[in-house]
Amino acid sequence: QVQLVESGGGLVQPGGSLRLSCAASGNIRSIDAMGWYRQAPGNQRELVATHTSGGSTVYADSVKGRFTISRDNAKNTVYLQMNSLKSEDTAVYYCNARIQQGGYIFFHHYWGQGTQVTVSS
């Protein structure tokens, strides 16, 4: 079994900052990409940022220059530092990781339970 546990969401004023964390645990042999998605009410889930095991990062245009994704491979943890938050960043943020379990050949995508981020004055 594999679990992704997110933390760090909450209520913040426009222009403020939050840091999300996501820790993967369980029967993990290897982790490829780790990233963050978000889903606002009435919208589809969208990619926010992703971080490959090789260190490459990809960001949605809407968050470039404001959000930074980082990763601690020793802790199987990915972070999302969110600065200069805007009301349109309000959404449930989900962690995603492509993981190979011990004893298995193939990688599979796993999701966290989601953490609410609300940007409002």
Side-chain angles (χ1 to χ4, degrees):
Q1 292 287 351
V2 171
Q3 285 188 320
L4 299 181
V5 178
E6 300 132 334
S7 60
L11 173 64
V12 63
Q13 292 187 341
S17 298
L18 281 175
R19 188 189 193 213
L20 305 182
S21 299
C22 170
S25 63
N27 181 27
I28 297 171
R29 179 177 182 180
S30 180
I31 301 179
D32 186 10
M34 299 185 80
W36 293 92
Y37 290 71
R38 67 186 180 187
Q39 187 168 19
N43 291 354
Q44 290 186 335
R45 191 173 297 188
E46 62 177 5
L47 174 70
V48 176
T50 187
H51 191 300
T52 70
S53 58
S56 299
T57 57
V58 175
Y59 294 92
D61 287 343
S62 59
V63 306
K64 284 180 181 177
R66 300 188 298 122
F67 291 10
T68 302
I69 189 169
S70 61
R71 182 168 165 175
D72 186 334
N73 290 327
K75 296 181 179 180
N76 290 338
T77 299
V78 64
Y79 306 95
L80 185 68
Q81 178 67 43
M82 305 184 293
N83 299 329
S84 303
L85 282 160
K86 306 175 181 179
S87 58
E88 51 264 43
D89 294 317
T90 295
V92 178
Y93 284 69
Y94 295 91
C95 175
N96 176 273
R98 189 167 177 267
I99 295 173
Q100 180 189 35
Q101 289 194 60
Y104 290 80
I105 297 174
F106 300 107
F107 286 75
H108 295 279
H109 284 274
Y110 294 87
W111 292 92
Q113 79 284 359
T115 185
Q116 178 70 47
V117 171
T118 302
V119 184
S120 175
S121 55

